[in-house]
Amino acid sequence: MATAVAPRIFKNFINGEWVESRSGKAYENRNPANTDELVGMFVASTDEDVDLAVKAAQEAYKAWRLVPAPKRAEILFRAAELLVQRKEDLAKDMTREMGKVLTETRGDVQEAIDMTYYMAGEGRRLFGQTTPSELPDKFAMSVRQSIGVCGMITPWNFPMAIPSWKMMPALISGNTVVLKPAEDTPLSAYHLVQVLTEAGVPRGVVNLVSGDGPSAGAPLAHHELVPVISFTGSTSVGRMVAKACAPDFKHCSLEMGGKNIIIVMDDANLDLAIDGAVWGGFGTTGQRCTAASRIAVHKGVYKEFVTRFVERAKSLKVGDGLDPDTEMGPLINEQQLDTVTSYVEIGKNEGAKLLTGGNRLRGGAYAKGWFHAPTVFGDCSPKMRIAQEEIFGPVVSVIPIANLNEAIDVANSVPYGLSASIYTRDVNRAFHATRDLYTGIVYVNAPTIGAETHLPFGGTKHTGNGHREAAIGAIDFFTEWKTVYIDYSDKLQRAQIDNA
Ligand code: UN1
């Protein structure tokens, strides 16, 4: 569908310049709430473009790694300030390309701001350890060293927050970056790179190649000059990334799927639990890896909870995220809508009770977008596919449970382990759940979403491969330890031997 104005063409950013693809190919990025609106044309990068970006990053690394970290930090502080100034415009553009409501895209930009300030602060820390040597007249310490070119492959659901989770710790630690953002949300990545450049990041230190996974992401993951890959996305693609990294032993951090649960006990504040379930289940149209896609409810309050939760789900206003009245935006694209539709069929066939939704929204304001009704399945058994598999859409499966032990077993019975939550006013139950829920994140009396940037983010089992993003875990991933011994005794001293 043609638009009245000529489309804006956005390029790759390689070695400090905005450049076209070597292949000359570009692709369209359209608004998921209104596919008539062309957000822009973006470069469809190929391995040649990725190679140029990696080589630029490799060259720039030589000088960047030697810039004192507090000086690198000054650039990040400036970038954070620019993000603050532009927050509203950045959020609007993000809603146009991604669909989530403006309050949430403001939150996404804010998460990038928080991470940028936080990592800028690390410029004057990046602490190592000093410790006594077991030998006299000998000094021992550990220091962090940068690694080199870091390849980053990021998803569309947090178009600015997640690239910043990866880029800011990598940069402050002295690495250089090649970012391959999700095909659906390159504009927000473009803006972030623009901000970093204006803030003073030197040429070649940050490079952006847009395009799809097979053509641009895969060559990055396989590139021999890239020792570090950080990926957020689906578990199936994460497995391919891990395989691409294995032969060269690349450091590889994977943040993947979730099937997060909210447990509602019979002593819970139900008003609070329902608010949390609506926000956790339908915020970002359910397209968060932390989304509360399962709710386990104690039989004592099951009926009341379900009735009131379904009422709230039904009354959610779905629409264009730029409209201030909208509470839930569209799915990101047609494929994601198809996935949701197919899971609704699976749920029905499995015998779950469809309590509301279950249908695509069509016609009128919905005619040109990928909208789906907020959907709740009741009386789910924990083994059903809709209660086991990540759907990444506005579909919540409610599971009745008889007691806390059963709830924890249900919670832990999925292949993922990102986030879990319990609503209870009993401190003993809260602590038991906190200990026994096998996830990377646990919330008490709050939903499964809402991670803050200075605490570790990540999950167990098929959610991740043991690394954590954000907080100091991110610095750990983007640096390597170097242990340094300085012997000032002027004689040969043998550890484990001379002092035994
Ligand atoms: C994601 O869903 O991929 O805790 C990230 C949260 C957000 C980040 C989610 N701060 O839900």
Side-chain angles (χ1 to χ4, degrees), residues 111-365:
E111 207 160 328
I113 293 168
D114 295 346
M115 186 56 88
T116 308
Y117 276 127
Y118 174 64
M119 288 300 166
E122 271 308 306
R124 286 190 185 268
R125 284 188 291 266
L126 290 176
F127 293 137
Q129 300 104 26
T130 60
T131 183
S133 164
E134 66 187 41
L135 293 159
D137 298 330
K138 192 172 176 188
F139 184 83
M141 66 180 168
S142 65
V143 295
R144 294 180 182 275
Q145 58 186 334
S146 53
I147 308 173
V149 181
C150 301
M152 300 170 182
I153 302 172
T154 55
W156 43 261
N157 65 337
F158 278 82
M160 194 169 283
I162 292 181
S164 77
W165 291 4
K166 300 184 190 302
M167 290 165 87
M168 304 314 166
L171 290 172
I172 200 66
S173 304
N175 304 287
T176 56
V177 169
V178 177
L179 171 66
K180 203 298 279 177
E183 205 184 347
D184 285 303
T185 55
L187 181 57
S188 297
Y190 180 100
H191 287 323
L192 187 59
V193 167
Q194 177 73 44
V195 159
L196 283 165
T197 305
E198 283 179 42
V201 169
R203 123 194 311 258
V205 170
V206 168
N207 303 272
L208 168 77
V209 284
S210 58
D212 65 26
S215 307
L220 182 58
H222 282 100
H223 202 292
E224 59 176 4
L225 296 177
V226 178
V228 180
I229 291 287
S230 179
F231 166 82
T232 300
S234 70
T235 296
S236 55
V237 175
R239 190 169 281 119
M240 298 195 300
V241 172
K243 284 184 183 159
C245 292
D248 287 327
F249 313 107
K250 291 179 200 286
H251 302 202
C252 165
S253 165
L254 306 170
E255 282 300 330
M256 302 173 285
K259 191 70 186 174
N260 315 290
I261 196 165
I262 290 179
I263 298 169
V264 181
M265 296 306 294
D266 51 352
D267 66 335
N269 174 342
L270 273 199
D271 294 339
L272 190 66
I274 289 162
D275 280 348
V278 171
W279 174 227
F282 301 116
T284 326
T285 319
Q287 302 170 114
R288 290 195 191 211
C289 51
T290 51
S293 50
R294 299 184 293 161
I295 307 189
V297 185
H298 192 283
K299 284 179 177 153
V301 291
Y302 186 82
K303 220 170 142 217
E304 184 186 351
F305 177 90
V306 166
T307 310
R308 291 175 56 193
F309 176 57
V310 166
E311 239 168 67
R312 287 279 300 277
K314 259 189 194 140
S315 69
L316 281 175
K317 189 166 179 320
V318 181
D320 186 331
L322 288 176
D323 177 344
D325 291 334
T326 298
E327 293 171 293
M328 193 181 98
L331 275 306
I332 184 73
N333 55 32
E334 186 171 18
Q335 191 192 345
Q336 204 57 37
L337 182 62
D338 288 345
T339 303
V340 170
T341 311
S342 75
Y343 271 105
V344 168
E345 282 315 303
I346 289 168
K348 286 192 213 158
N349 293 335
E350 289 179 305
K353 204 192 274 176
L354 180 62
L355 300 174
T356 184
N359 55 295
R360 178 176 177 178
L361 298 170
R362 295 175 187 277

